[in-house]
Amino acid sequence: MKEAIKEAKKALRKGEVPVGAILVDEKGNILARGYNIKEKKKDPSAHAEIVVIRKACKKLNTWRLEGCSLYVTLQPCLMCFGALVQARIKRLIFGAYDPKEKFYELIYLNHSMEIKGGILESECSQLLKSFFKILRDFSSLRIYGKIKVRRGG
């Protein structure tokens, strides 16, 4: 999870929502790493989990990531969770819980996935809280890849 947190900090420095992820194989080798790049790419699907899945699939030349584990700093949204299922990810380990994501118990999986949450939760959630506090405190800021100050009234 510490490696995923490093990725989240990269996102934070670039003005993106600080969510980071890594994908590891069965031996614990990191296959791919990434962070949110929605603003940079102007792509609503450019969540950290999707970025990592795409990188790993390209590296391994397959869409089946069986036996792999995904570490991510925030509980995945429905879109990302669906991608994890489709990629046949074996294990999902996440840091901070997202109170908006309550669909997990409603979904039938076509394969078994171990899910474990709350890993380094305090550190993961603090990154997100800090980011959104900055946005609230400075409501005149805009995010376009990097945080920029809007001038004028």
Side-chain angles (χ1 to χ4, degrees):
M1 186 60 73
K2 290 191 181 282
E3 292 299 314
I5 291 170
K6 287 179 186 176
E7 294 300 310
K9 289 178 179 177
K10 290 177 186 177
L12 181 63
R13 286 192 296 273
K14 294 183 182 221
E16 298 277 358
V17 176
V19 177
I22 63 164
L23 188 77
V24 301
D25 65 16
E26 292 174 301
K27 295 178 183 174
N29 300 312
I30 296 175
L31 298 173
R33 55 180 64 234
Y35 52 87
N36 277 359
I37 52 173
K38 280 174 59 172
E39 298 299 332
K40 177 183 177 187
K41 295 289 185 180
K42 307 292 187 248
D43 178 356
S45 70
H47 291 195
E49 301 93 328
I50 303 295
V51 169
V52 166
I53 289 170
R54 287 177 177 159
K55 285 181 178 180
C57 289
K58 185 174 183 179
K59 180 177 184 175
L60 299 174
N61 196 32
T62 182
W63 62 268
R64 292 181 184 268
L65 300 175
E66 295 167 323
C68 292
S69 299
L70 183 95
Y71 290 79
V72 62
T73 57
L74 178 64
Q75 183 178 10
C77 69
L78 182 58
M79 173 188 69
C80 292
F81 188 77
L84 297 175
V85 170
Q86 290 299 313
R88 309 296 193 263
I89 301 291
K90 180 179 183 177
R91 189 175 298 109
L92 164 63
I93 302 100
F94 64 88
Y97 284 89
D98 186 341
K100 297 178 293 192
E101 303 301 346
K102 297 184 187 248
F103 60 85
Y104 283 68
E105 56 275 355
L106 304 174
I107 294 180
Y108 171 78
L109 300 178
N110 61 352
H111 78 289
S112 63
M113 181 190 308
E114 180 185 331
I115 302 171
K116 188 169 184 178
I119 307 303
L120 298 178
E121 182 176 9
S122 178
E123 192 172 347
C124 293
S125 62
Q126 190 56 49
L127 279 170
L128 291 158
K129 287 175 185 175
S130 297
F131 176 77
F132 288 110
K133 182 179 183 331
I134 290 168
L135 290 184
R136 283 191 307 276
D137 289 349
F138 300 99
S139 61
S140 65
L141 295 181
R142 284 189 155 181
I143 301 175
Y144 292 111
K146 294 189 178 191
I147 296 176
K148 295 181 182 179
V149 176
R150 191 174 32 184
R151 299 191 186 263

mmCIF file of all heavy atoms in Angstrom, residues 71-108:
data_model
loop_
_atom_site.group_PDB
_atom_site.id
_atom_site.type_symbol
_atom_site.label_atom_id
_atom_site.label_comp_id
_atom_site.label_asym_id
_atom_site.label_seq_id
_atom_site.Cartn_x
_atom_site.Cartn_y
_atom_site.Cartn_z
ATOM 1 N N TYR A 71 -3.592 -2.926 -5.354
ATOM 2 C CA TYR A 71 -3.570 -2.079 -4.159
ATOM 3 C C TYR A 71 -3.954 -0.681 -4.600
ATOM 4 O O TYR A 71 -3.345 -0.138 -5.530
ATOM 5 C CB TYR A 71 -2.171 -2.044 -3.549
ATOM 6 C CG TYR A 71 -1.733 -3.337 -2.918
ATOM 7 C CD1 TYR A 71 -1.264 -4.389 -3.704
ATOM 8 C CD2 TYR A 71 -1.795 -3.511 -1.541
ATOM 9 C CE1 TYR A 71 -0.860 -5.584 -3.121
ATOM 10 C CE2 TYR A 71 -1.389 -4.699 -0.954
ATOM 11 C CZ TYR A 71 -0.934 -5.735 -1.753
ATOM 12 O OH TYR A 71 -0.534 -6.918 -1.187
ATOM 13 N N VAL A 72 -4.948 -0.092 -3.951
ATOM 14 C CA VAL A 72 -5.396 1.247 -4.322
ATOM 15 C C VAL A 72 -5.743 2.012 -3.049
ATOM 16 O O VAL A 72 -6.232 1.431 -2.074
ATOM 17 C CB VAL A 72 -6.586 1.188 -5.320
ATOM 18 C CG1 VAL A 72 -7.799 0.490 -4.709
ATOM 19 C CG2 VAL A 72 -6.939 2.556 -5.852
ATOM 20 N N THR A 73 -5.479 3.308 -3.059
ATOM 21 C CA THR A 73 -5.632 4.105 -1.844
ATOM 22 C C THR A 73 -7.073 4.445 -1.489
ATOM 23 O O THR A 73 -7.340 4.856 -0.368
ATOM 24 C CB THR A 73 -4.810 5.407 -1.952
ATOM 25 O OG1 THR A 73 -5.228 6.137 -3.109
ATOM 26 C CG2 THR A 73 -3.320 5.099 -2.034
ATOM 27 N N LEU A 74 -8.001 4.272 -2.407
ATOM 28 C CA LEU A 74 -9.416 4.563 -2.157
ATOM 29 C C LEU A 74 -10.266 3.424 -2.687
ATOM 30 O O LEU A 74 -9.993 2.882 -3.768
ATOM 31 C CB LEU A 74 -9.828 5.874 -2.847
ATOM 32 C CG LEU A 74 -11.292 6.303 -2.719
ATOM 33 C CD1 LEU A 74 -11.661 6.604 -1.264
ATOM 34 C CD2 LEU A 74 -11.555 7.536 -3.592
ATOM 35 N N GLN A 75 -11.299 3.076 -1.952
ATOM 36 C CA GLN A 75 -12.232 2.035 -2.383
ATOM 37 C C GLN A 75 -12.702 2.333 -3.808
ATOM 38 O O GLN A 75 -13.159 3.432 -4.094
ATOM 39 C CB GLN A 75 -13.418 2.010 -1.426
ATOM 40 C CG GLN A 75 -14.429 0.947 -1.700
ATOM 41 C CD GLN A 75 -15.559 0.965 -0.671
ATOM 42 O OE1 GLN A 75 -15.679 1.875 0.136
ATOM 43 N NE2 GLN A 75 -16.376 -0.054 -0.709
ATOM 44 N N PRO A 76 -12.569 1.381 -4.715
ATOM 45 C CA PRO A 76 -12.924 1.634 -6.121
ATOM 46 C C PRO A 76 -14.402 1.954 -6.344
ATOM 47 O O PRO A 76 -15.278 1.454 -5.644
ATOM 48 C CB PRO A 76 -12.566 0.313 -6.819
ATOM 49 C CG PRO A 76 -11.523 -0.287 -5.952
ATOM 50 C CD PRO A 76 -11.924 0.080 -4.545
ATOM 51 N N CYS A 77 -14.642 2.780 -7.336
ATOM 52 C CA CYS A 77 -16.002 3.094 -7.762
ATOM 53 C C CYS A 77 -16.559 1.905 -8.558
ATOM 54 O O CYS A 77 -15.841 0.947 -8.847
ATOM 55 C CB CYS A 77 -16.013 4.359 -8.618
ATOM 56 S SG CYS A 77 -15.241 4.145 -10.238
ATOM 57 N N LEU A 78 -17.808 1.996 -8.929
ATOM 58 C CA LEU A 78 -18.465 0.914 -9.659
ATOM 59 C C LEU A 78 -17.770 0.623 -10.993
ATOM 60 O O LEU A 78 -17.564 -0.536 -11.354
ATOM 61 C CB LEU A 78 -19.939 1.262 -9.888
ATOM 62 C CG LEU A 78 -20.795 0.220 -10.588
ATOM 63 C CD1 LEU A 78 -20.791 -1.094 -9.827
ATOM 64 C CD2 LEU A 78 -22.212 0.737 -10.751
ATOM 65 N N MET A 79 -17.380 1.663 -11.720
ATOM 66 C CA MET A 79 -16.693 1.475 -13.001
ATOM 67 C C MET A 79 -15.392 0.692 -12.812
ATOM 68 O O MET A 79 -15.125 -0.276 -13.516
ATOM 69 C CB MET A 79 -16.386 2.832 -13.648
ATOM 70 C CG MET A 79 -15.533 2.737 -14.906
ATOM 71 S SD MET A 79 -14.992 4.335 -15.539
ATOM 72 C CE MET A 79 -13.826 4.854 -14.291
ATOM 73 N N CYS A 80 -14.592 1.124 -11.847
ATOM 74 C CA CYS A 80 -13.299 0.474 -11.619
ATOM 75 C C CYS A 80 -13.479 -0.942 -11.093
ATOM 76 O O CYS A 80 -12.749 -1.856 -11.491
ATOM 77 C CB CYS A 80 -12.460 1.305 -10.661
ATOM 78 S SG CYS A 80 -11.934 2.874 -11.378
ATOM 79 N N PHE A 81 -14.450 -1.134 -10.227
ATOM 80 C CA PHE A 81 -14.716 -2.471 -9.709
ATOM 81 C C PHE A 81 -15.097 -3.413 -10.851
ATOM 82 O O PHE A 81 -14.623 -4.544 -10.921
ATOM 83 C CB PHE A 81 -15.818 -2.427 -8.652
ATOM 84 C CG PHE A 81 -16.000 -3.731 -7.946
ATOM 85 C CD1 PHE A 81 -15.113 -4.134 -6.962
ATOM 86 C CD2 PHE A 81 -17.054 -4.558 -8.270
ATOM 87 C CE1 PHE A 81 -15.274 -5.347 -6.313
ATOM 88 C CE2 PHE A 81 -17.228 -5.770 -7.625
ATOM 89 C CZ PHE A 81 -16.337 -6.166 -6.635
ATOM 90 N N GLY A 82 -15.917 -2.921 -11.771
ATOM 91 C CA GLY A 82 -16.281 -3.723 -12.933
ATOM 92 C C GLY A 82 -15.068 -4.092 -13.772
ATOM 93 O O GLY A 82 -14.954 -5.226 -14.255
ATOM 94 N N ALA A 83 -14.141 -3.154 -13.928
ATOM 95 C CA ALA A 83 -12.916 -3.438 -14.688
ATOM 96 C C ALA A 83 -12.066 -4.490 -13.977
ATOM 97 O O ALA A 83 -11.470 -5.355 -14.630
ATOM 98 C CB ALA A 83 -12.116 -2.154 -14.901
ATOM 99 N N LEU A 84 -12.020 -4.434 -12.654
ATOM 100 C CA LEU A 84 -11.271 -5.435 -11.884
ATOM 101 C C LEU A 84 -11.865 -6.819 -12.101
ATOM 102 O O LEU A 84 -11.131 -7.798 -12.288
ATOM 103 C CB LEU A 84 -11.291 -5.105 -10.394
ATOM 104 C CG LEU A 84 -10.629 -3.801 -9.956
ATOM 105 C CD1 LEU A 84 -10.840 -3.581 -8.466
ATOM 106 C CD2 LEU A 84 -9.162 -3.796 -10.287
ATOM 107 N N VAL A 85 -13.179 -6.910 -12.077
ATOM 108 C CA VAL A 85 -13.864 -8.182 -12.308
ATOM 109 C C VAL A 85 -13.559 -8.689 -13.717
ATOM 110 O O VAL A 85 -13.189 -9.846 -13.907
ATOM 111 C CB VAL A 85 -15.383 -8.035 -12.094
ATOM 112 C CG1 VAL A 85 -16.131 -9.279 -12.561
ATOM 113 C CG2 VAL A 85 -15.697 -7.735 -10.635
ATOM 114 N N GLN A 86 -13.694 -7.814 -14.702
ATOM 115 C CA GLN A 86 -13.459 -8.208 -16.092
ATOM 116 C C GLN A 86 -12.015 -8.648 -16.331
ATOM 117 O O GLN A 86 -11.755 -9.534 -17.134
ATOM 118 C CB GLN A 86 -13.831 -7.069 -17.050
ATOM 119 C CG GLN A 86 -15.310 -6.809 -17.136
ATOM 120 C CD GLN A 86 -16.071 -8.021 -17.637
ATOM 121 O OE1 GLN A 86 -15.702 -8.658 -18.617
ATOM 122 N NE2 GLN A 86 -17.141 -8.368 -16.938
ATOM 123 N N ALA A 87 -11.074 -8.029 -15.618
ATOM 124 C CA ALA A 87 -9.653 -8.376 -15.773
ATOM 125 C C ALA A 87 -9.268 -9.613 -14.960
ATOM 126 O O ALA A 87 -8.128 -10.057 -15.024
ATOM 127 C CB ALA A 87 -8.782 -7.188 -15.367
ATOM 128 N N ARG A 88 -10.221 -10.137 -14.204
ATOM 129 C CA ARG A 88 -10.000 -11.348 -13.398
ATOM 130 C C ARG A 88 -8.966 -11.137 -12.286
ATOM 131 O O ARG A 88 -8.211 -12.051 -11.940
ATOM 132 C CB ARG A 88 -9.592 -12.546 -14.251
ATOM 133 C CG ARG A 88 -10.474 -12.842 -15.441
ATOM 134 C CD ARG A 88 -11.879 -13.232 -15.008
ATOM 135 N NE ARG A 88 -12.654 -13.809 -16.092
ATOM 136 C CZ ARG A 88 -13.517 -13.142 -16.844
ATOM 137 N NH1 ARG A 88 -13.709 -11.857 -16.652
ATOM 138 N NH2 ARG A 88 -14.191 -13.760 -17.794
ATOM 139 N N ILE A 89 -8.943 -9.922 -11.726
ATOM 140 C CA ILE A 89 -8.056 -9.627 -10.602
ATOM 141 C C ILE A 89 -8.418 -10.554 -9.441
ATOM 142 O O ILE A 89 -9.596 -10.717 -9.120
ATOM 143 C CB ILE A 89 -8.192 -8.145 -10.171
ATOM 144 C CG1 ILE A 89 -7.863 -7.186 -11.320
ATOM 145 C CG2 ILE A 89 -7.350 -7.853 -8.932
ATOM 146 C CD1 ILE A 89 -6.443 -7.146 -11.752
ATOM 147 N N LYS A 90 -7.424 -11.141 -8.809
ATOM 148 C CA LYS A 90 -7.666 -12.098 -7.723
ATOM 149 C C LYS A 90 -7.968 -11.411 -6.395
ATOM 150 O O LYS A 90 -8.788 -11.874 -5.616
ATOM 151 C CB LYS A 90 -6.448 -13.002 -7.559
ATOM 152 C CG LYS A 90 -6.587 -14.027 -6.463
ATOM 153 C CD LYS A 90 -5.363 -14.903 -6.364
ATOM 154 C CE LYS A 90 -5.550 -15.981 -5.293
ATOM 155 N NZ LYS A 90 -4.382 -16.862 -5.258
ATOM 156 N N ARG A 91 -7.272 -10.298 -6.150
ATOM 157 C CA ARG A 91 -7.360 -9.674 -4.838
ATOM 158 C C ARG A 91 -7.383 -8.155 -4.976
ATOM 159 O O ARG A 91 -6.591 -7.581 -5.717
ATOM 160 C CB ARG A 91 -6.142 -10.103 -4.015
ATOM 161 C CG ARG A 91 -6.144 -9.744 -2.580
ATOM 162 C CD ARG A 91 -4.936 -10.340 -1.848
ATOM 163 N NE ARG A 91 -4.955 -11.804 -1.901
ATOM 164 C CZ ARG A 91 -4.122 -12.547 -2.627
ATOM 165 N NH1 ARG A 91 -3.179 -11.981 -3.359
ATOM 166 N NH2 ARG A 91 -4.201 -13.865 -2.625
ATOM 167 N N LEU A 92 -8.291 -7.525 -4.238
ATOM 168 C CA LEU A 92 -8.392 -6.063 -4.169
ATOM 169 C C LEU A 92 -8.083 -5.659 -2.741
ATOM 170 O O LEU A 92 -8.738 -6.127 -1.802
ATOM 171 C CB LEU A 92 -9.795 -5.605 -4.560
ATOM 172 C CG LEU A 92 -10.183 -4.171 -4.187
ATOM 173 C CD1 LEU A 92 -9.291 -3.154 -4.899
ATOM 174 C CD2 LEU A 92 -11.647 -3.915 -4.499
ATOM 175 N N ILE A 93 -7.102 -4.794 -2.580
ATOM 176 C CA ILE A 93 -6.732 -4.269 -1.273
ATOM 177 C C ILE A 93 -6.803 -2.755 -1.374
ATOM 178 O O ILE A 93 -6.130 -2.161 -2.226
ATOM 179 C CB ILE A 93 -5.298 -4.703 -0.864
ATOM 180 C CG1 ILE A 93 -5.188 -6.229 -0.846
ATOM 181 C CG2 ILE A 93 -4.932 -4.143 0.509
ATOM 182 C CD1 ILE A 93 -4.542 -6.800 -2.058
ATOM 183 N N PHE A 94 -7.646 -2.134 -0.552
ATOM 184 C CA PHE A 94 -7.758 -0.676 -0.630
ATOM 185 C C PHE A 94 -7.565 -0.033 0.733
ATOM 186 O O PHE A 94 -7.693 -0.673 1.768
ATOM 187 C CB PHE A 94 -9.077 -0.241 -1.278
ATOM 188 C CG PHE A 94 -10.330 -0.598 -0.527
ATOM 189 C CD1 PHE A 94 -10.838 0.248 0.439
ATOM 190 C CD2 PHE A 94 -11.013 -1.776 -0.811
ATOM 191 C CE1 PHE A 94 -12.006 -0.067 1.117
ATOM 192 C CE2 PHE A 94 -12.175 -2.100 -0.154
ATOM 193 C CZ PHE A 94 -12.668 -1.250 0.828
ATOM 194 N N GLY A 95 -7.241 1.255 0.691
ATOM 195 C CA GLY A 95 -6.977 2.012 1.914
ATOM 196 C C GLY A 95 -8.232 2.625 2.494
ATOM 197 O O GLY A 95 -8.880 2.036 3.366
ATOM 198 N N ALA A 96 -8.591 3.800 2.016
ATOM 199 C CA ALA A 96 -9.730 4.537 2.556
ATOM 200 C C ALA A 96 -11.047 4.001 2.002
ATOM 201 O O ALA A 96 -11.144 3.665 0.826
ATOM 202 C CB ALA A 96 -9.582 6.023 2.214
ATOM 203 N N TYR A 97 -12.029 3.940 2.876
ATOM 204 C CA TYR A 97 -13.378 3.583 2.449
ATOM 205 C C TYR A 97 -14.033 4.811 1.829
ATOM 206 O O TYR A 97 -13.802 5.934 2.267
ATOM 207 C CB TYR A 97 -14.218 3.111 3.631
ATOM 208 C CG TYR A 97 -13.877 1.720 4.087
ATOM 209 C CD1 TYR A 97 -12.888 1.507 5.042
ATOM 210 C CD2 TYR A 97 -14.539 0.615 3.553
ATOM 211 C CE1 TYR A 97 -12.568 0.230 5.462
ATOM 212 C CE2 TYR A 97 -14.222 -0.668 3.964
ATOM 213 C CZ TYR A 97 -13.237 -0.856 4.914
ATOM 214 O OH TYR A 97 -12.917 -2.118 5.324
ATOM 215 N N ASP A 98 -14.842 4.596 0.814
ATOM 216 C CA ASP A 98 -15.619 5.669 0.198
ATOM 217 C C ASP A 98 -17.074 5.443 0.582
ATOM 218 O O ASP A 98 -17.689 4.479 0.125
ATOM 219 C CB ASP A 98 -15.462 5.641 -1.319
ATOM 220 C CG ASP A 98 -16.125 6.818 -2.005
ATOM 221 O OD1 ASP A 98 -16.998 7.462 -1.387
ATOM 222 O OD2 ASP A 98 -15.775 7.101 -3.153
ATOM 223 N N PRO A 99 -17.627 6.313 1.419
ATOM 224 C CA PRO A 99 -19.002 6.097 1.886
ATOM 225 C C PRO A 99 -20.045 6.112 0.765
ATOM 226 O O PRO A 99 -21.151 5.611 0.943
ATOM 227 C CB PRO A 99 -19.236 7.245 2.874
ATOM 228 C CG PRO A 99 -18.199 8.263 2.559
ATOM 229 C CD PRO A 99 -17.029 7.529 1.952
ATOM 230 N N LYS A 100 -19.678 6.634 -0.396
ATOM 231 C CA LYS A 100 -20.617 6.668 -1.518
ATOM 232 C C LYS A 100 -20.704 5.331 -2.241
ATOM 233 O O LYS A 100 -21.625 5.086 -3.000
ATOM 234 C CB LYS A 100 -20.222 7.752 -2.532
ATOM 235 C CG LYS A 100 -20.267 9.161 -1.976
ATOM 236 C CD LYS A 100 -19.816 10.147 -3.023
ATOM 237 C CE LYS A 100 -18.350 9.903 -3.277
ATOM 238 N NZ LYS A 100 -17.635 10.878 -4.024
ATOM 239 N N GLU A 101 -19.720 4.479 -2.030
ATOM 240 C CA GLU A 101 -19.656 3.202 -2.757
ATOM 241 C C GLU A 101 -20.196 2.078 -1.878
ATOM 242 O O GLU A 101 -19.475 1.475 -1.114
ATOM 243 C CB GLU A 101 -18.220 2.920 -3.206
ATOM 244 C CG GLU A 101 -17.604 3.996 -4.061
ATOM 245 C CD GLU A 101 -18.345 4.296 -5.351
ATOM 246 O OE1 GLU A 101 -19.210 3.510 -5.767
ATOM 247 O OE2 GLU A 101 -18.066 5.339 -5.949
ATOM 248 N N LYS A 102 -21.483 1.803 -2.006
ATOM 249 C CA LYS A 102 -22.131 0.789 -1.168
ATOM 250 C C LYS A 102 -22.701 -0.348 -2.002
ATOM 251 O O LYS A 102 -23.605 -1.036 -1.582
ATOM 252 C CB LYS A 102 -23.231 1.433 -0.342
ATOM 253 C CG LYS A 102 -22.688 2.475 0.612
ATOM 254 C CD LYS A 102 -23.774 3.028 1.486
ATOM 255 C CE LYS A 102 -23.212 4.167 2.290
ATOM 256 N NZ LYS A 102 -23.103 3.946 3.667
ATOM 257 N N PHE A 103 -22.179 -0.552 -3.183
ATOM 258 C CA PHE A 103 -22.731 -1.540 -4.107
ATOM 259 C C PHE A 103 -22.095 -2.921 -3.970
ATOM 260 O O PHE A 103 -22.601 -3.893 -4.486
ATOM 261 C CB PHE A 103 -22.550 -1.067 -5.549
ATOM 262 C CG PHE A 103 -21.111 -0.867 -5.912
ATOM 263 C CD1 PHE A 103 -20.337 -1.922 -6.339
ATOM 264 C CD2 PHE A 103 -20.537 0.388 -5.796
ATOM 265 C CE1 PHE A 103 -18.993 -1.739 -6.646
ATOM 266 C CE2 PHE A 103 -19.199 0.580 -6.098
ATOM 267 C CZ PHE A 103 -18.429 -0.496 -6.526
ATOM 268 N N TYR A 104 -20.978 -3.032 -3.269
ATOM 269 C CA TYR A 104 -20.190 -4.262 -3.249
ATOM 270 C C TYR A 104 -21.002 -5.503 -2.882
ATOM 271 O O TYR A 104 -20.878 -6.532 -3.502
ATOM 272 C CB TYR A 104 -19.010 -4.135 -2.280
ATOM 273 C CG TYR A 104 -17.882 -3.317 -2.846
ATOM 274 C CD1 TYR A 104 -18.013 -1.959 -3.062
ATOM 275 C CD2 TYR A 104 -16.681 -3.909 -3.178
ATOM 276 C CE1 TYR A 104 -16.983 -1.213 -3.589
ATOM 277 C CE2 TYR A 104 -15.631 -3.177 -3.696
ATOM 278 C CZ TYR A 104 -15.791 -1.827 -3.907
ATOM 279 O OH TYR A 104 -14.775 -1.100 -4.433
ATOM 280 N N GLU A 105 -21.848 -5.389 -1.855
ATOM 281 C CA GLU A 105 -22.601 -6.559 -1.422
ATOM 282 C C GLU A 105 -23.734 -6.924 -2.373
ATOM 283 O O GLU A 105 -24.329 -7.974 -2.260
ATOM 284 C CB GLU A 105 -23.141 -6.365 0.003
ATOM 285 C CG GLU A 105 -23.996 -5.137 0.199
ATOM 286 C CD GLU A 105 -23.233 -3.851 0.488
ATOM 287 O OE1 GLU A 105 -22.002 -3.869 0.639
ATOM 288 O OE2 GLU A 105 -23.882 -2.809 0.543
ATOM 289 N N LEU A 106 -24.004 -6.080 -3.346
ATOM 290 C CA LEU A 106 -25.091 -6.322 -4.291
ATOM 291 C C LEU A 106 -24.638 -7.012 -5.569
ATOM 292 O O LEU A 106 -25.465 -7.442 -6.358
ATOM 293 C CB LEU A 106 -25.763 -4.991 -4.673
ATOM 294 C CG LEU A 106 -26.308 -4.146 -3.527
ATOM 295 C CD1 LEU A 106 -26.790 -2.807 -4.051
ATOM 296 C CD2 LEU A 106 -27.402 -4.883 -2.791
ATOM 297 N N ILE A 107 -23.332 -7.094 -5.769
ATOM 298 C CA ILE A 107 -22.812 -7.565 -7.053
ATOM 299 C C ILE A 107 -22.478 -9.049 -7.012
ATOM 300 O O ILE A 107 -21.834 -9.531 -6.083
ATOM 301 C CB ILE A 107 -21.572 -6.746 -7.455
ATOM 302 C CG1 ILE A 107 -21.987 -5.307 -7.713
ATOM 303 C CG2 ILE A 107 -20.891 -7.347 -8.673
ATOM 304 C CD1 ILE A 107 -20.861 -4.404 -8.103
ATOM 305 N N TYR A 108 -22.926 -9.752 -8.028
ATOM 306 C CA TYR A 108 -22.565 -11.153 -8.220
ATOM 307 C C TYR A 108 -21.334 -11.187 -9.119
ATOM 308 O O TYR A 108 -21.343 -10.630 -10.213
ATOM 309 C CB TYR A 108 -23.714 -11.917 -8.879
ATOM 310 C CG TYR A 108 -23.328 -13.307 -9.293
ATOM 311 C CD1 TYR A 108 -23.242 -14.332 -8.354
ATOM 312 C CD2 TYR A 108 -23.006 -13.592 -10.617
ATOM 313 C CE1 TYR A 108 -22.854 -15.601 -8.721
ATOM 314 C CE2 TYR A 108 -22.623 -14.869 -11.000
ATOM 315 C CZ TYR A 108 -22.550 -15.868 -10.039
ATOM 316 O OH TYR A 108 -22.161 -17.115 -10.405
#
